[in-house]
Amino acid sequence: MDTTMIIVAGIIGVALGLVIAKLMEKKNASKILANAKREAASVVKEAKAEGESIKKDKIFQAKEKFLELKAEHEKVIVAKDKKIAEIEKRTKDKEAQANSELSKNKKLTEELETKARDYEYRMEILEKKQAEVEKLHKSQVKQLEIISGLPAEEAKSQLIESLRADAKSDAMSYVQNTLEEAKLTAQQEAKKVIINTIQRIGTEEAVENCVSVFNLESDDIKGRIIGREGRNIRALESATGVEIIVDDTPEAIILSCFDAVRREIARLSLHKLVTDGRIHPARIEEVVQKTTKQIEEEIIEVGKRTIIDLGIHGLHPELIKMVGRMKYRSSYGQNLLQHSREVAKLCGVMAAELGLNPKLAKRAGLLHDIGKVPESETEMPHAILGMEWAEKYGEKPDVCNAIGAHHDEVEMKSLIAPIVQVCDAISGARPGARRQVLDSYIQRLKDLEDIAFGFNGVKKAYAIQAGRELRVIVESERVNDDKAAELSFEISQKIQTDMTYPGQVKVTVIRETRSVNIAK
């Protein structure tokens, strides 16, 4: 009984608990539902408010967009209206122009018609006058026949005979004048031949300044220097620009060139080739290139020794190189370096005697003729050119002025300038110092080479045979065989037009093609 009662009580308790839990859950659910409804209402309210706000913004944006599109549309319409107005204006202008042209054409047509009528009227008058002239001519011929008593054909033949006699007389006079002109031309040609003959006889001064003698141990070496069919001597002449004369002179070869640098390069190259024993075109070119570099180094060394001997310091390297090049230049037959050293020493002594700066005077005296150093001649006086170079390489104004004023090209602005001028005159005026004939001769040879360099494709140009031959080496890539012949003719015509010279100048154009590869 007790157990049953407990079970029943337990069941009843569980049932009551479930009922109470259900009631509690229902109450909580109603609360949650009420809260949810309130939140939903709040969310809906907020959503409606936000929607209204977005709606207002969208409407405002749409209005703004509409206004923008309307403004753009109005601009487009205005632009189109403006363009249409311009087109209408141009059309009206063209119409007005066309009307003007039409009126002009109408006027011209009327003028042409008037001129055509006038022309026809004049043609009629001319035809009438021509008929009258023919009648007059016939009547005059008849009158002349009556007066002369000869028919027209016989009178014509007599007139022809008379004209023939006059023509024969004029022809004889022309022949006589032609003969006299030929005699005069023959005299001129004879004078040219005589001058050319005189030129072939080299004076002592020219030999001393334009020729070097290369001594040989034996005459057997001459054959090796000439090479098979003369290829070695041709290669040496082409590489150095020096004429090599191999004659009957025992144990000697003559090197002839107006440029002392080329002559020295040829002499040293020959010495190396003869000493080495290997003489062929490739070896010749190699030795000439090395010798050229050696001469350039020697030029710098000569410049350095000169300024050290004279006590000159701080000279620009380019000016030192120019001083070295003076060794291979001459002025009126006088060596330019010796002349400049002499002038520098005289300037130093004279400046010291006058209480001036002897070092500055020596500097100006040494550099006064650097304008004569360049190989290519310019129209600028050498004093002005030297002054510009001195200014370019940082020399003092007194030195630059002394260089430019030593031949009175510029005004003297310091006491050193007259000292340099006087010392230059002292050095050049002493007996036997200069030979003007040789200097003009060298100038003519340089002018010959400069004419060749004025044409495209010319690589090297050498004046040889005392200026009677110009040897031109061209670039094979730029000048073909036909162009080489044409170039030779053009250079000869240029020389004939621009230069005055005795005798003839032979122009030889050399074109050579080489293909070089190296096997490793």
Side-chain angles (χ1 to χ4, degrees):
M1 286 289 289
D2 293 333
T3 305
T4 303
M5 291 289 288
I6 292 169
I7 293 168
V8 170
I11 292 168
I12 293 168
V14 169
L16 289 171
L18 289 170
V19 170
I20 293 168
K22 193 68 174 176
L23 292 172
M24 294 282 292
E25 185 179 354
K26 188 175 182 181
K27 187 177 180 181
N28 289 334
S30 62
K31 287 181 179 180
I32 291 169
L33 183 60
N35 290 332
K37 286 180 178 180
R38 284 196 299 272
E39 289 178 0
S42 176
V43 169
V44 170
K45 188 177 180 181
E46 290 177 357
K48 285 181 179 180
E50 188 175 354
E52 290 293 330
S53 176
I54 292 170
K55 183 179 179 182
K56 290 179 181 179
D57 290 340
K58 292 296 182 182
I59 291 169
F60 181 72
Q61 291 177 2
K63 287 181 178 179
E64 286 184 346
K65 188 68 175 178
F66 174 75
L67 292 173
E68 289 178 0
L69 292 173
K70 185 179 179 182
E72 290 178 1
H73 183 65
E74 288 176 352
K75 287 181 181 178
V76 171
I77 291 171
V78 170
K80 287 183 177 180
D81 292 341
K82 186 177 180 181
K83 191 178 290 185
I84 290 168
E86 290 177 354
I87 293 170
E88 289 178 352
K89 185 180 178 182
R90 286 200 298 269
T91 305
K92 289 180 181 179
D93 292 340
K94 287 183 179 179
E95 288 178 356
Q97 187 176 358
N99 293 330
S100 176
E101 292 292 334
L102 285 172
S103 62
K104 287 181 181 178
N105 289 334
K106 188 176 180 181
K107 187 177 179 180
L108 288 172
T109 304
E110 291 175 354
E111 291 178 356
L112 286 173
E113 290 176 355
T114 305
K115 288 181 178 178
R117 289 193 295 270
D118 186 35
Y119 174 74
E120 291 175 357
Y121 175 71
R122 290 185 179 183
M123 286 296 294
E124 291 177 359
I125 294 174
L126 285 173
E127 288 175 358
K128 291 179 182 179
K129 287 185 176 181
Q130 188 174 0
E132 292 176 359
V133 168
E134 288 178 356
K135 288 180 181 179
L136 288 173
H137 176 68
K138 289 179 181 179
S139 64
Q140 286 176 355
V141 169
K142 287 181 181 180
Q143 288 178 3
L144 287 172
E145 288 178 352
I146 294 168
I147 293 169
S148 63
L150 295 172
E153 292 297 328
E154 190 175 349
K156 188 187 294 185
S157 62
Q158 290 183 5
L159 179 62
I160 289 171
E161 288 296 328
S162 175
L163 291 174
R164 185 178 296 169
D166 291 340
K168 189 174 181 181
S169 175
D170 292 341
M172 291 298 294
S173 175
Y174 176 75
V175 169
Q176 186 68 25
N177 292 333
T178 304
L179 288 174
E180 290 179 0
E181 186 179 354
K183 289 179 181 179
L184 180 62
T185 305
Q187 290 177 359
Q188 293 177 350
E189 291 296 325
K191 288 178 181 179
K192 284 185 179 180
V193 171
I194 294 170
I195 292 171
N196 192 20
T197 305
I198 294 171
Q199 186 189 26
R200 289 172 182 270
I201 303 173
T203 61
E204 182 181 357
E205 288 79 4
V207 171
E208 290 177 354
N209 287 276
C210 295
V211 173
S212 295
V213 178
F214 180 74
N215 296 314
L216 302 172
E217 294 180 358
S218 66
D219 288 339
D220 297 337
I221 302 176
K222 289 184 179 180
R224 295 172 60 192
I225 291 173
I226 295 171
R228 183 181 299 174
E229 298 178 356
R231 63 175 188 173
N232 290 345
I233 198 168
R234 284 199 303 271
L236 193 56
E237 287 180 344
S238 298
T240 60
V242 175
E243 183 184 1
I244 300 173
I245 302 171
V246 182
D247 53 13
D248 296 335
T249 306
E251 298 180 357
I253 291 176
I254 298 173
L255 308 178
S256 175
C257 181
F258 70 92
D259 192 332
V261 177
R262 291 189 207 163
R263 211 164 57 242
E264 184 67 11
I265 291 173
R267 189 187 68 80
L268 292 177
S269 300
L270 261 179
H271 177 72
K272 291 180 181 178
L273 289 167
V274 171
T275 304
D276 183 54
R278 293 176 294 167
I279 306 176
H280 52 83
R283 177 64 178 166
I284 287 170
E285 290 185 1
E286 180 185 351
V287 169
V288 169
Q289 288 178 359
K290 290 181 179 178
T291 306
T292 304
K293 292 181 180 178
Q294 178 183 343
I295 290 294
E296 290 176 357
E297 293 173 358
E298 183 180 345
I299 285 171
I300 297 173
E301 186 63 29
V302 168
K304 290 181 179 178
R305 285 202 305 268
T306 301
I307 63 174
I308 290 171
D309 292 344
L310 295 174
I312 297 172
H313 304 285
L315 205 63
H316 193 279
E318 286 298 325
L319 293 179
I320 294 175
K321 191 182 295 185
M322 290 179 189
V323 171
R325 283 190 176 277
M326 288 182 184
K327 178 182 177 182
Y328 301 101
R329 294 286 180 270
S330 62
S331 176
Y332 300 101
Q334 185 181 21
N335 184 271
L336 195 59
L337 181 59
Q338 293 177 359
H339 167 64
S340 298
R341 288 173 65 101
E342 193 173 64
V343 171
K345 291 178 180 178
L346 289 170
C347 288
V349 174
M350 193 173 291
E353 290 292 331
L354 295 173
L356 301 175
N357 187 345
K359 292 185 177 180
L360 202 62
K362 278 186 180 181
R363 200 181 193 94
L366 178 65
L367 300 177
H368 80 284
D369 267 349
I370 57 172
K372 293 182 179 180
V373 171
E375 296 179 359
S376 59
E377 295 296 324
T378 61
E379 296 181 358
M380 186 182 300
H382 73 274
I384 302 298
L385 183 60
M387 180 180 70
E388 290 182 356
W389 280 353
E391 291 173 349
K392 178 181 178 181
Y393 296 120
E395 289 298 315
K396 293 183 179 179
D398 290 349
V399 175
C400 298
N401 178 253
I403 295 171
H406 79 278
H407 283 312
D408 295 322
E409 273 88 6
V410 298
E411 183 184 356
M412 295 184 181
K413 297 180 180 178
S414 66
L415 292 175
I416 295 177
I419 291 175
V420 172
Q421 187 181 50
V422 170
C423 294
D424 178 46
I426 292 171
S427 175
R430 61 182 175 81
R434 295 188 170 184
R435 305 178 186 89
Q436 294 187 358
V437 176
L438 177 63
D439 193 69
S440 61
Y441 161 73
I442 291 174
Q443 179 63 42
R444 183 169 66 85
L445 299 186
K446 288 183 178 179
D447 291 341
L448 267 177
E449 294 182 353
D450 291 341
I451 286 176
F453 281 118
F455 290 85
N456 293 328
V458 175
K459 186 178 180 182
K460 296 178 182 177
Y462 302 126
I464 59 177
Q465 294 283 347
R468 292 187 297 277
E469 181 178 353
L470 180 63
R471 189 163 294 177
V472 182
I473 301 173
V474 298
E475 299 176 8
S476 59
E477 297 84 2
R478 298 178 60 185
V479 180
N480 56 25
D481 291 338
D482 296 335
K483 182 66 177 175
E486 182 181 346
L487 184 63
S488 175
F489 175 75
E490 290 177 354
I491 293 174
S492 64
Q493 293 300 309
K494 182 75 171 174
I495 294 171
Q496 188 172 339
T497 305
D498 295 354
M499 292 189 66
T500 303
Y501 52 91
Q504 298 177 345
V505 177
K506 178 182 177 184
V507 180
T508 304
V509 175
I510 301 171
R511 178 178 178 269
E512 182 182 29
T513 305
R514 295 189 181 187
S515 299
V516 180
N517 287 291
I518 299 173
K520 297 182 180 179

PDB file of all heavy atoms in Angstrom, residues 268-295:
ATOM      1  N   LEU A 268     112.308  55.764 -89.631  1.00  0.00           N
ATOM      2  CA  LEU A 268     112.377  54.824 -88.515  1.00  0.00           C
ATOM      3  C   LEU A 268     111.773  53.465 -88.885  1.00  0.00           C
ATOM      4  O   LEU A 268     112.286  52.416 -88.473  1.00  0.00           O
ATOM      5  CB  LEU A 268     111.653  55.408 -87.296  1.00  0.00           C
ATOM      6  CG  LEU A 268     112.322  56.625 -86.642  1.00  0.00           C
ATOM      7  CD1 LEU A 268     111.458  57.146 -85.505  1.00  0.00           C
ATOM      8  CD2 LEU A 268     113.700  56.256 -86.111  1.00  0.00           C
ATOM      9  N   SER A 269     110.670  53.489 -89.664  1.00  0.00           N
ATOM     10  CA  SER A 269     110.052  52.229 -90.084  1.00  0.00           C
ATOM     11  C   SER A 269     111.004  51.426 -90.961  1.00  0.00           C
ATOM     12  O   SER A 269     111.144  50.200 -90.797  1.00  0.00           O
ATOM     13  CB  SER A 269     108.746  52.507 -90.839  1.00  0.00           C
ATOM     14  OG  SER A 269     107.825  53.201 -90.030  1.00  0.00           O
ATOM     15  N   LEU A 270     111.682  52.113 -91.894  1.00  0.00           N
ATOM     16  CA  LEU A 270     112.658  51.420 -92.746  1.00  0.00           C
ATOM     17  C   LEU A 270     113.795  50.828 -91.914  1.00  0.00           C
ATOM     18  O   LEU A 270     114.239  49.686 -92.147  1.00  0.00           O
ATOM     19  CB  LEU A 270     113.221  52.398 -93.776  1.00  0.00           C
ATOM     20  CG  LEU A 270     112.616  52.353 -95.178  1.00  0.00           C
ATOM     21  CD1 LEU A 270     113.254  53.399 -96.064  1.00  0.00           C
ATOM     22  CD2 LEU A 270     112.790  50.977 -95.798  1.00  0.00           C
ATOM     23  N   HIS A 271     114.246  51.598 -90.930  1.00  0.00           N
ATOM     24  CA  HIS A 271     115.336  51.113 -90.074  1.00  0.00           C
ATOM     25  C   HIS A 271     114.909  49.832 -89.340  1.00  0.00           C
ATOM     26  O   HIS A 271     115.665  48.845 -89.288  1.00  0.00           O
ATOM     27  CB  HIS A 271     115.718  52.206 -89.080  1.00  0.00           C
ATOM     28  CG  HIS A 271     116.793  51.782 -88.107  1.00  0.00           C
ATOM     29  ND1 HIS A 271     118.107  51.605 -88.478  1.00  0.00           N
ATOM     30  CD2 HIS A 271     116.727  51.469 -86.781  1.00  0.00           C
ATOM     31  CE1 HIS A 271     118.804  51.214 -87.425  1.00  0.00           C
ATOM     32  NE2 HIS A 271     117.985  51.128 -86.379  1.00  0.00           N
ATOM     33  N   LYS A 272     113.671  49.828 -88.784  1.00  0.00           N
ATOM     34  CA  LYS A 272     113.179  48.635 -88.070  1.00  0.00           C
ATOM     35  C   LYS A 272     113.015  47.452 -89.016  1.00  0.00           C
ATOM     36  O   LYS A 272     113.361  46.316 -88.676  1.00  0.00           O
ATOM     37  CB  LYS A 272     111.858  48.956 -87.403  1.00  0.00           C
ATOM     38  CG  LYS A 272     111.965  49.923 -86.233  1.00  0.00           C
ATOM     39  CD  LYS A 272     110.594  50.200 -85.621  1.00  0.00           C
ATOM     40  CE  LYS A 272     110.698  51.181 -84.466  1.00  0.00           C
ATOM     41  NZ  LYS A 272     109.367  51.486 -83.886  1.00  0.00           N
ATOM     42  N   LEU A 273     112.484  47.709 -90.221  1.00  0.00           N
ATOM     43  CA  LEU A 273     112.270  46.611 -91.170  1.00  0.00           C
ATOM     44  C   LEU A 273     113.588  46.008 -91.635  1.00  0.00           C
ATOM     45  O   LEU A 273     113.729  44.779 -91.715  1.00  0.00           O
ATOM     46  CB  LEU A 273     111.479  47.135 -92.376  1.00  0.00           C
ATOM     47  CG  LEU A 273     110.009  47.475 -92.121  1.00  0.00           C
ATOM     48  CD1 LEU A 273     109.441  48.269 -93.291  1.00  0.00           C
ATOM     49  CD2 LEU A 273     109.190  46.218 -91.898  1.00  0.00           C
ATOM     50  N   VAL A 274     114.566  46.868 -91.931  1.00  0.00           N
ATOM     51  CA  VAL A 274     115.862  46.366 -92.393  1.00  0.00           C
ATOM     52  C   VAL A 274     116.569  45.617 -91.269  1.00  0.00           C
ATOM     53  O   VAL A 274     117.174  44.552 -91.483  1.00  0.00           O
ATOM     54  CB  VAL A 274     116.724  47.539 -92.913  1.00  0.00           C
ATOM     55  CG1 VAL A 274     118.153  47.085 -93.183  1.00  0.00           C
ATOM     56  CG2 VAL A 274     116.107  48.110 -94.178  1.00  0.00           C
ATOM     57  N   THR A 275     116.472  46.137 -90.045  1.00  0.00           N
ATOM     58  CA  THR A 275     117.112  45.462 -88.908  1.00  0.00           C
ATOM     59  C   THR A 275     116.467  44.114 -88.629  1.00  0.00           C
ATOM     60  O   THR A 275     117.145  43.117 -88.365  1.00  0.00           O
ATOM     61  CB  THR A 275     117.014  46.356 -87.655  1.00  0.00           C
ATOM     62  OG1 THR A 275     117.597  47.625 -87.940  1.00  0.00           O
ATOM     63  CG2 THR A 275     117.736  45.717 -86.483  1.00  0.00           C
ATOM     64  N   ASP A 276     115.118  44.068 -88.705  1.00  0.00           N
ATOM     65  CA  ASP A 276     114.395  42.827 -88.424  1.00  0.00           C
ATOM     66  C   ASP A 276     114.557  41.822 -89.556  1.00  0.00           C
ATOM     67  O   ASP A 276     114.615  40.612 -89.321  1.00  0.00           O
ATOM     68  CB  ASP A 276     112.908  43.147 -88.209  1.00  0.00           C
ATOM     69  CG  ASP A 276     112.112  41.924 -87.842  1.00  0.00           C
ATOM     70  OD1 ASP A 276     112.484  41.251 -86.885  1.00  0.00           O
ATOM     71  OD2 ASP A 276     111.113  41.644 -88.540  1.00  0.00           O
ATOM     72  N   GLY A 277     114.591  42.314 -90.783  1.00  0.00           N
ATOM     73  CA  GLY A 277     114.772  41.417 -91.918  1.00  0.00           C
ATOM     74  C   GLY A 277     113.475  40.955 -92.557  1.00  0.00           C
ATOM     75  O   GLY A 277     113.477  40.484 -93.696  1.00  0.00           O
ATOM     76  N   ARG A 278     112.355  41.048 -91.844  1.00  0.00           N
ATOM     77  CA  ARG A 278     111.063  40.634 -92.405  1.00  0.00           C
ATOM     78  C   ARG A 278     110.422  41.847 -93.084  1.00  0.00           C
ATOM     79  O   ARG A 278     109.973  42.775 -92.419  1.00  0.00           O
ATOM     80  CB  ARG A 278     110.138  40.099 -91.317  1.00  0.00           C
ATOM     81  CG  ARG A 278     110.620  38.796 -90.695  1.00  0.00           C
ATOM     82  CD  ARG A 278     109.703  38.383 -89.565  1.00  0.00           C
ATOM     83  NE  ARG A 278     109.763  39.318 -88.455  1.00  0.00           N
ATOM     84  CZ  ARG A 278     108.887  39.337 -87.442  1.00  0.00           C
ATOM     85  NH1 ARG A 278     107.875  38.499 -87.448  1.00  0.00           N
ATOM     86  NH2 ARG A 278     109.022  40.207 -86.465  1.00  0.00           N
ATOM     87  N   ILE A 279     110.380  41.812 -94.413  1.00  0.00           N
ATOM     88  CA  ILE A 279     109.836  42.945 -95.168  1.00  0.00           C
ATOM     89  C   ILE A 279     108.749  42.425 -96.103  1.00  0.00           C
ATOM     90  O   ILE A 279     109.037  41.764 -97.099  1.00  0.00           O
ATOM     91  CB  ILE A 279     110.937  43.671 -95.975  1.00  0.00           C
ATOM     92  CG1 ILE A 279     112.095  44.091 -95.059  1.00  0.00           C
ATOM     93  CG2 ILE A 279     110.363  44.883 -96.683  1.00  0.00           C
ATOM     94  CD1 ILE A 279     113.265  44.718 -95.798  1.00  0.00           C
ATOM     95  N   HIS A 280     107.495  42.687 -95.741  1.00  0.00           N
ATOM     96  CA  HIS A 280     106.349  42.351 -96.596  1.00  0.00           C
ATOM     97  C   HIS A 280     105.214  43.302 -96.214  1.00  0.00           C
ATOM     98  O   HIS A 280     105.260  43.950 -95.153  1.00  0.00           O
ATOM     99  CB  HIS A 280     105.930  40.889 -96.437  1.00  0.00           C
ATOM    100  CG  HIS A 280     105.710  40.463 -95.017  1.00  0.00           C
ATOM    101  ND1 HIS A 280     104.525  40.688 -94.348  1.00  0.00           N
ATOM    102  CD2 HIS A 280     106.539  39.847 -94.125  1.00  0.00           C
ATOM    103  CE1 HIS A 280     104.621  40.205 -93.125  1.00  0.00           C
ATOM    104  NE2 HIS A 280     105.825  39.703 -92.955  1.00  0.00           N
ATOM    105  N   PRO A 281     104.186  43.443 -97.053  1.00  0.00           N
ATOM    106  CA  PRO A 281     103.153  44.480 -96.817  1.00  0.00           C
ATOM    107  C   PRO A 281     102.514  44.451 -95.442  1.00  0.00           C
ATOM    108  O   PRO A 281     102.336  45.488 -94.812  1.00  0.00           O
ATOM    109  CB  PRO A 281     102.127  44.210 -97.926  1.00  0.00           C
ATOM    110  CG  PRO A 281     102.937  43.625 -99.036  1.00  0.00           C
ATOM    111  CD  PRO A 281     103.998  42.799 -98.371  1.00  0.00           C
ATOM    112  N   ALA A 282     102.164  43.253 -94.935  1.00  0.00           N
ATOM    113  CA  ALA A 282     101.517  43.188 -93.616  1.00  0.00           C
ATOM    114  C   ALA A 282     102.469  43.669 -92.527  1.00  0.00           C
ATOM    115  O   ALA A 282     102.070  44.419 -91.627  1.00  0.00           O
ATOM    116  CB  ALA A 282     101.054  41.762 -93.336  1.00  0.00           C
ATOM    117  N   ARG A 283     103.723  43.220 -92.607  1.00  0.00           N
ATOM    118  CA  ARG A 283     104.722  43.642 -91.624  1.00  0.00           C
ATOM    119  C   ARG A 283     104.987  45.145 -91.730  1.00  0.00           C
ATOM    120  O   ARG A 283     105.181  45.826 -90.722  1.00  0.00           O
ATOM    121  CB  ARG A 283     106.015  42.859 -91.865  1.00  0.00           C
ATOM    122  CG  ARG A 283     107.181  43.242 -90.964  1.00  0.00           C
ATOM    123  CD  ARG A 283     106.904  42.937 -89.522  1.00  0.00           C
ATOM    124  NE  ARG A 283     108.046  43.261 -88.680  1.00  0.00           N
ATOM    125  CZ  ARG A 283     108.016  43.361 -87.362  1.00  0.00           C
ATOM    126  NH1 ARG A 283     106.868  43.144 -86.726  1.00  0.00           N
ATOM    127  NH2 ARG A 283     109.087  43.650 -86.678  1.00  0.00           N
ATOM    128  N   ILE A 284     104.984  45.662 -92.951  1.00  0.00           N
ATOM    129  CA  ILE A 284     105.216  47.105 -93.151  1.00  0.00           C
ATOM    130  C   ILE A 284     104.133  47.915 -92.444  1.00  0.00           C
ATOM    131  O   ILE A 284     104.415  48.883 -91.727  1.00  0.00           O
ATOM    132  CB  ILE A 284     105.260  47.430 -94.658  1.00  0.00           C
ATOM    133  CG1 ILE A 284     106.571  46.901 -95.260  1.00  0.00           C
ATOM    134  CG2 ILE A 284     105.142  48.930 -94.893  1.00  0.00           C
ATOM    135  CD1 ILE A 284     106.609  46.944 -96.768  1.00  0.00           C
ATOM    136  N   GLU A 285     102.850  47.533 -92.633  1.00  0.00           N
ATOM    137  CA  GLU A 285     101.757  48.273 -91.984  1.00  0.00           C
ATOM    138  C   GLU A 285     101.865  48.205 -90.467  1.00  0.00           C
ATOM    139  O   GLU A 285     101.650  49.196 -89.767  1.00  0.00           O
ATOM    140  CB  GLU A 285     100.418  47.707 -92.441  1.00  0.00           C
ATOM    141  CG  GLU A 285     100.102  48.004 -93.895  1.00  0.00           C
ATOM    142  CD  GLU A 285      98.717  47.543 -94.276  1.00  0.00           C
ATOM    143  OE1 GLU A 285      98.016  47.019 -93.385  1.00  0.00           O
ATOM    144  OE2 GLU A 285      98.336  47.707 -95.442  1.00  0.00           O
ATOM    145  N   GLU A 286     102.219  47.032 -89.944  1.00  0.00           N
ATOM    146  CA  GLU A 286     102.361  46.888 -88.489  1.00  0.00           C
ATOM    147  C   GLU A 286     103.470  47.789 -87.951  1.00  0.00           C
ATOM    148  O   GLU A 286     103.297  48.490 -86.948  1.00  0.00           O
ATOM    149  CB  GLU A 286     102.660  45.423 -88.171  1.00  0.00           C
ATOM    150  CG  GLU A 286     102.827  45.134 -86.690  1.00  0.00           C
ATOM    151  CD  GLU A 286     103.230  43.693 -86.422  1.00  0.00           C
ATOM    152  OE1 GLU A 286     103.222  42.885 -87.366  1.00  0.00           O
ATOM    153  OE2 GLU A 286     103.570  43.386 -85.265  1.00  0.00           O
ATOM    154  N   VAL A 287     104.616  47.794 -88.630  1.00  0.00           N
ATOM    155  CA  VAL A 287     105.755  48.596 -88.176  1.00  0.00           C
ATOM    156  C   VAL A 287     105.434  50.084 -88.279  1.00  0.00           C
ATOM    157  O   VAL A 287     105.781  50.877 -87.390  1.00  0.00           O
ATOM    158  CB  VAL A 287     107.007  48.237 -88.995  1.00  0.00           C
ATOM    159  CG1 VAL A 287     108.130  49.230 -88.724  1.00  0.00           C
ATOM    160  CG2 VAL A 287     107.461  46.829 -88.678  1.00  0.00           C
ATOM    161  N   VAL A 288     104.753  50.497 -89.352  1.00  0.00           N
ATOM    162  CA  VAL A 288     104.410  51.914 -89.507  1.00  0.00           C
ATOM    163  C   VAL A 288     103.464  52.371 -88.400  1.00  0.00           C
ATOM    164  O   VAL A 288     103.612  53.471 -87.840  1.00  0.00           O
ATOM    165  CB  VAL A 288     103.778  52.159 -90.897  1.00  0.00           C
ATOM    166  CG1 VAL A 288     103.170  53.557 -90.973  1.00  0.00           C
ATOM    167  CG2 VAL A 288     104.832  52.006 -91.984  1.00  0.00           C
ATOM    168  N   GLN A 289     102.496  51.525 -88.045  1.00  0.00           N
ATOM    169  CA  GLN A 289     101.581  51.886 -86.946  1.00  0.00           C
ATOM    170  C   GLN A 289     102.335  52.037 -85.628  1.00  0.00           C
ATOM    171  O   GLN A 289     102.119  52.998 -84.880  1.00  0.00           O
ATOM    172  CB  GLN A 289     100.494  50.825 -86.814  1.00  0.00           C
ATOM    173  CG  GLN A 289      99.476  50.842 -87.950  1.00  0.00           C
ATOM    174  CD  GLN A 289      98.439  49.750 -87.805  1.00  0.00           C
ATOM    175  OE1 GLN A 289      98.480  48.953 -86.864  1.00  0.00           O
ATOM    176  NE2 GLN A 289      97.501  49.693 -88.746  1.00  0.00           N
ATOM    177  N   LYS A 290     103.229  51.100 -85.333  1.00  0.00           N
ATOM    178  CA  LYS A 290     104.000  51.188 -84.089  1.00  0.00           C
ATOM    179  C   LYS A 290     104.914  52.414 -84.099  1.00  0.00           C
ATOM    180  O   LYS A 290     105.050  53.112 -83.081  1.00  0.00           O
ATOM    181  CB  LYS A 290     104.831  49.916 -83.903  1.00  0.00           C
ATOM    182  CG  LYS A 290     104.004  48.684 -83.575  1.00  0.00           C
ATOM    183  CD  LYS A 290     104.903  47.471 -83.377  1.00  0.00           C
ATOM    184  CE  LYS A 290     104.074  46.226 -83.022  1.00  0.00           C
ATOM    185  NZ  LYS A 290     104.936  45.025 -82.870  1.00  0.00           N
ATOM    186  N   THR A 291     105.514  52.688 -85.254  1.00  0.00           N
ATOM    187  CA  THR A 291     106.409  53.849 -85.348  1.00  0.00           C
ATOM    188  C   THR A 291     105.637  55.153 -85.181  1.00  0.00           C
ATOM    189  O   THR A 291     106.129  56.108 -84.569  1.00  0.00           O
ATOM    190  CB  THR A 291     107.131  53.831 -86.705  1.00  0.00           C
ATOM    191  OG1 THR A 291     107.777  52.573 -86.886  1.00  0.00           O
ATOM    192  CG2 THR A 291     108.165  54.944 -86.770  1.00  0.00           C
ATOM    193  N   THR A 292     104.419  55.192 -85.722  1.00  0.00           N
ATOM    194  CA  THR A 292     103.589  56.392 -85.560  1.00  0.00           C
ATOM    195  C   THR A 292     103.313  56.657 -84.085  1.00  0.00           C
ATOM    196  O   THR A 292     103.405  57.799 -83.613  1.00  0.00           O
ATOM    197  CB  THR A 292     102.267  56.221 -86.329  1.00  0.00           C
ATOM    198  OG1 THR A 292     102.556  55.939 -87.697  1.00  0.00           O
ATOM    199  CG2 THR A 292     101.428  57.488 -86.238  1.00  0.00           C
ATOM    200  N   LYS A 293     102.955  55.600 -83.342  1.00  0.00           N
ATOM    201  CA  LYS A 293     102.748  55.768 -81.895  1.00  0.00           C
ATOM    202  C   LYS A 293     104.039  56.213 -81.208  1.00  0.00           C
ATOM    203  O   LYS A 293     104.017  57.049 -80.299  1.00  0.00           O
ATOM    204  CB  LYS A 293     102.253  54.452 -81.288  1.00  0.00           C
ATOM    205  CG  LYS A 293     100.854  54.056 -81.731  1.00  0.00           C
ATOM    206  CD  LYS A 293     100.422  52.759 -81.067  1.00  0.00           C
ATOM    207  CE  LYS A 293      99.017  52.355 -81.512  1.00  0.00           C
ATOM    208  NZ  LYS A 293      98.592  51.064 -80.905  1.00  0.00           N
ATOM    209  N   GLN A 294     105.166  55.640 -81.642  1.00  0.00           N
ATOM    210  CA  GLN A 294     106.452  56.012 -81.045  1.00  0.00           C
ATOM    211  C   GLN A 294     106.763  57.489 -81.293  1.00  0.00           C
ATOM    212  O   GLN A 294     107.233  58.197 -80.382  1.00  0.00           O
ATOM    213  CB  GLN A 294     107.553  55.131 -81.641  1.00  0.00           C
ATOM    214  CG  GLN A 294     108.951  55.452 -81.121  1.00  0.00           C
ATOM    215  CD  GLN A 294     110.007  54.605 -81.804  1.00  0.00           C
ATOM    216  OE1 GLN A 294     109.708  53.584 -82.422  1.00  0.00           O
ATOM    217  NE2 GLN A 294     111.251  55.031 -81.710  1.00  0.00           N
ATOM    218  N   ILE A 295     106.472  57.981 -82.507  1.00  0.00           N
ATOM    219  CA  ILE A 295     106.725  59.390 -82.827  1.00  0.00           C
ATOM    220  C   ILE A 295     105.834  60.289 -81.972  1.00  0.00           C
ATOM    221  O   ILE A 295     106.264  61.349 -81.488  1.00  0.00           O
ATOM    222  CB  ILE A 295     106.493  59.646 -84.324  1.00  0.00           C
ATOM    223  CG1 ILE A 295     107.589  58.966 -85.153  1.00  0.00           C
ATOM    224  CG2 ILE A 295     106.471  61.132 -84.627  1.00  0.00           C
ATOM    225  CD1 ILE A 295     108.969  59.534 -84.944  1.00  0.00           C
TER     226      ILE A 295
END
